[in-house]
Amino acid sequence: MADISSETPVLIAGGGPIGLALAADLGRRGVATLLVEERENKVNPAKMLEVSVRTMEFCRQLGVVDKVRNWGFPRDWPLDSVFVTDLQGYELGRVRMPALQDQACLPVSPERGMPCPQTWFDPILQDYARTFQHVTLRHRVKLENFVQDTGGVTATLRDQQTGRAETVSAKYLVGCDGFASTVRDLLGIEIRGEPHIDWSMTIYLRIPDLPSQHDKGKAFRYVFVGPEGTWSFLSIVDGKDLWRLQLVDLDEGRLQNADIPALVRRFMGRDTAYTIEDKNLWVRKRTVADRFMDGRVFLAGDAAHAHPPNGGLGMNTGIQDAFDLSWKLAAVLGGWGGEALLESYDVERRPASARAAEVSLKNYRRLVSAAQRAEINSPTPDGDAARRVIGERLVEENEKTWHPVGVHLGYIYHPSPVVVPDGTCKPGDDTFGYRPTAFPGARAPHVWLAPGKSILDLFGHGFVLLKFSDVPTDATERAAAIRGVPLKVHRVEHGEAAALYARALVLVRPDGHVAWRDDLQPSDPLALIDTVRGAGPRIAARRGRSEVMRHVV
Ligand SMILES: Cc1cc2nc3c(=O)[nH]c(=O)nc-3n(C[C@H](O)[C@H](O)[C@H](O)COP(=O)(O)OP(=O)(O)OC[C@H]3O[C@@H](n4cnc5c(N)ncnc54)[C@H](O)[C@@H]3O)c2cc1C
């Protein structure tokens, strides 16, 4: 029997990285939030190791990016990915990535992706979320059930220690409860794709001073290729002596009975001292839920889409969900967002997530695609030839996996009910390279306005109207004020930025995506504001440049 009753505007089920990111961003936006996590407050071992450039940009918005940058990964540790037969054997090829201290700034972002295992990353988000008195994080509390009606959601929670049940009323519920999502199951939402590609086993190994035991140099990961193709990868976790070995196999039984000493000897090419810190068996999958929302209930992160981890897109894509949803919830709870704003979450995030999941699967296929080569270990000219062919192919293909700025920055919300098209064609989708664009729906592109100050630093709270000439903005500001929409106008006198944004006026949303752009104020500023806040009839794209948006003021 439920014996306690409380209320909260937003209830989050699941305190993995996505639930924590959502709680943190809602906290920053002043939204009272309760997060419940069924586990105790401990992340061990880390699944996620690589934080993407876009996630780093969000961390910059939250003001925690320095913590993520400086958690302790050695700045002189090269981040190469090296294809080898074993650590004493042949090097087949290498995808180079300099050590943090040697990396140049990316021209397209004020940040760079970087290694930061979940064991460090999650606590950074958690500590930040806890700085807000209106955010409550409760561990060992499971969401068991909920019902919703037009007024809200009533959830049943159970304390995992005492067994006591309680009910909580929330305006909105977000299921950040992972692939086996209770929230998604209770909603009866199906998942599509490949729920079972194959099995994998992850083994965490403490290996003292591994780099001194071979001649391949320090690297972020070694990929081991045998006569049967790629059979495992070994990645550095803590920049010291904790390594993660991932085995690839189709057979659960074989993985479960894996002879770990023999595997370690195989990848080392000799005996070595090590301890096993942890191991777990998991299923590789690529799934996307049919819907990311139902009424007042939303799905985010692995609950909505699950990816093969190759290329580090799982959590990083989920973090984008959190940042898309959080300002929309804040807007609706704050009284200035309309119903279409919440509905746009599904319209925007489902295709973007499906895109990333597809790329993750391709990454995985490329990594394990080396054809079987009986000669791979042969000390003969035929062996040399085989190794050259395999190595070149692996390097060429996997550069796309590990340096894919396009997949992280190039997702565009188009079409979206809360983005106003400008009549130009959507740029072609490139999941590898990234060409900055201020096309409506795209992530507003980065430019340094001054040393250390990116144009991205202007975004993140309310809407921002960038003004690249002296065109008036008074009517738009008035319309925003009438509707209670937070809007700041920034006059930007910067040639490179003006060229990149390509219009005199560019309206950027609180999540840093372009909502509208034109050379003149809209003919009907209220219609524009109503569209982008999800409370009006959608403004159509104009032919050539939008007729609806013609300047009349
Ligand atoms: C080996 C491996 C390596 C990976 N590497 C990367 C990487 O480098 N980069 C990357 O971006 N991604 C990576 N991923 C993927 C990444 O780990 C996931 O995408 C990410 O953890 C998803 O976060 P989440 O918060 O959605 O779900 P989860 O991390 O699964 O968290 C969900 C949480 O919800 C809790 N929960 C479940 N049900 C309930 C309930 N009913 N009530 C309360 N709480 C509940 C669970 O206890 C859990 O803590 C990797 C995955 C694996 C397996």
Side-chain angles (χ1 to χ4, degrees), residues 109-124:
S109 174
E111 296 297 335
R112 298 195 68 113
M114 70 163 287
C116 181
Q118 225 173 326
T119 27
W120 278 268
F121 186 73
D122 288 14
I124 291 172

Side-chain angles (χ1 to χ4, degrees), residues 332-355:
V332 172
L333 288 163
W336 57 269
E339 278 305 304
L341 198 55
L342 294 179
E343 281 156 19
S344 72
Y345 171 69
D346 175 86
V347 180
E348 293 183 347
R349 288 307 309 159
R350 206 148 42 87
S353 308
R355 171 182 182 265

Side-chain angles (χ1 to χ4, degrees), residues 31-280:
V31 177
T33 300
L34 168 64
L35 179 151
V36 293
E37 162 57 56
E38 69 175 315
R39 280 184 289 111
E40 61 182 318
N41 190 7
K42 188 167 151 221
V43 190
N44 216 8
K47 287 191 288 182
M48 182 285 293
L49 300 184
E50 292 170 87
V51 173
S52 77
V53 55
R54 186 62 177 143
T55 299
M56 290 295 276
E57 289 178 357
F58 288 128
C59 291
R60 186 179 173 98
Q61 253 185 39
L62 296 180
V64 299
V65 76
D66 286 341
K67 293 200 169 127
V68 182
R69 250 191 243 127
N70 302 322
W71 65 270
F73 195 84
R75 302 196 65 75
D76 60 353
W77 189 292
L79 299 175
D80 293 356
S81 296
V82 192
F83 297 95
V84 291
T85 52
D86 62 66
L87 286 174
Q88 316 302 319
Y90 297 102
E91 177 170 329
L92 305 166
R94 180 179 291 259
V95 176
R96 291 192 186 276
M97 173 64 90
L100 294 172
Q101 66 182 17
D102 302 321
Q103 290 183 3
C105 275
L106 281 180
V108 294
S109 174
E111 296 297 335
R112 298 195 68 113
M114 70 163 287
C116 181
Q118 225 173 326
T119 27
W120 278 268
F121 186 73
D122 288 14
I124 291 172
L125 290 178
Q126 186 175 144
D127 288 351
Y128 179 72
R130 282 191 196 279
T131 61
F132 302 101
Q133 277 190 348
H134 50 274
V135 174
T136 307
L137 310 180
R138 291 175 60 194
H139 287 84
R140 306 290 313 266
V141 176
K142 179 175 180 164
L143 176 132
E144 276 191 348
N145 204 346
F146 69 85
V147 288
Q148 63 169 321
D149 58 29
T150 51
V153 180
T154 306
T156 308
L157 310 180
R158 188 168 301 275
D159 187 307
Q160 299 299 282
Q161 275 166 307
T162 63
R164 279 173 62 181
E166 61 184 285
T167 58
V168 170
S169 317
K171 291 278 176 231
Y172 298 99
L173 166 66
V174 189
C176 300
D177 48 351
F179 175 68
S181 170
T182 306
V183 173
R184 192 186 65 230
D185 276 358
L186 290 169
L187 289 171
I189 295 179
E190 300 283 329
I191 51 172
R192 309 274 156 193
E194 290 151 276
H196 189 129
I197 296 168
D198 57 24
W199 286 95
S200 186
M201 165 90 89
T202 301
I203 307 167
Y204 294 82
L205 298 166
R206 188 123 358 232
I207 313 177
D209 204 11
L210 178 71
S212 73
Q213 300 182 48
H214 62 84
D215 63 358
K216 306 295 180 290
K218 285 180 180 169
F220 183 70
R221 71 167 70 70
Y222 304 95
V223 180
F224 301 106
V225 187
E228 73 274 47
T230 302
W231 66 273
S232 71
F233 344 114
L234 183 75
S235 311
I236 183 66
V237 177
D238 64 353
K240 294 188 189 108
D241 56 2
L242 184 62
W243 294 85
R244 183 175 80 188
L245 181 71
Q246 269 177 261
L247 303 175
V248 180
D249 207 314
L250 300 175
D251 188 87
E252 180 188 4
R254 225 172 17 227
L255 284 170
Q256 230 146 18
N257 298 319
D259 179 350
I260 295 177
L263 293 168
V264 175
R265 212 173 302 116
R266 183 175 179 195
F267 77 68
M268 278 300 296
R270 59 177 240 192
D271 285 323
T272 190
Y274 66 90
T275 46
I276 300 170
E277 295 280 309
D278 208 335
K279 62 175 190 165
N280 58 66

Side-chain angles (χ1 to χ4, degrees), residues 331-395:
V332 172
L333 288 163
W336 57 269
E339 278 305 304
L341 198 55
L342 294 179
E343 281 156 19
S344 72
Y345 171 69
D346 175 86
V347 180
E348 293 183 347
R349 288 307 309 159
R350 206 148 42 87
S353 308
R355 171 182 182 265
E358 189 58 38
V359 170
S360 307
L361 183 59
K362 283 190 187 146
N363 290 343
Y364 175 58
R365 300 263 188 248
R366 280 198 294 265
L367 195 59
V368 296
S369 73
Q372 298 200 358
R373 294 280 178 178
E375 325 84 287
I376 198 165
N377 285 313
S378 157
T380 61
D382 279 354
D384 288 340
R387 285 186 287 275
R388 202 165 39 249
V389 170
I390 296 171
E392 280 170 7
R393 202 174 98 209
L394 282 167
V395 168

Side-chain angles (χ1 to χ4, degrees), residues 297-321:
V297 185
F298 301 84
L299 302 175
D302 277 19
H305 47 89
H307 312 205
N310 309 83
L313 290 168
M315 178 203 79
N316 288 306
T317 306
I319 295 270
Q320 295 164 12
D321 300 342

Side-chain angles (χ1 to χ4, degrees), residues 472-519:
T473 54
D474 52 335
T476 312
E477 288 175 73
R478 249 193 331 270
I482 289 168
R483 297 298 198 230
V485 173
L487 173 79
K488 269 199 172 157
V489 178
H490 284 278
R491 175 75 169 95
V492 181
E493 296 188 60
H494 192 283
E496 190 194 339
L500 194 52
Y501 280 75
R503 297 290 185 280
L505 295 175
V506 180
L507 183 64
V508 181
R509 316 192 311 189
D511 62 349
H513 281 254
V514 174
W516 166 87
R517 63 176 178 173
D518 208 331
D519 287 326

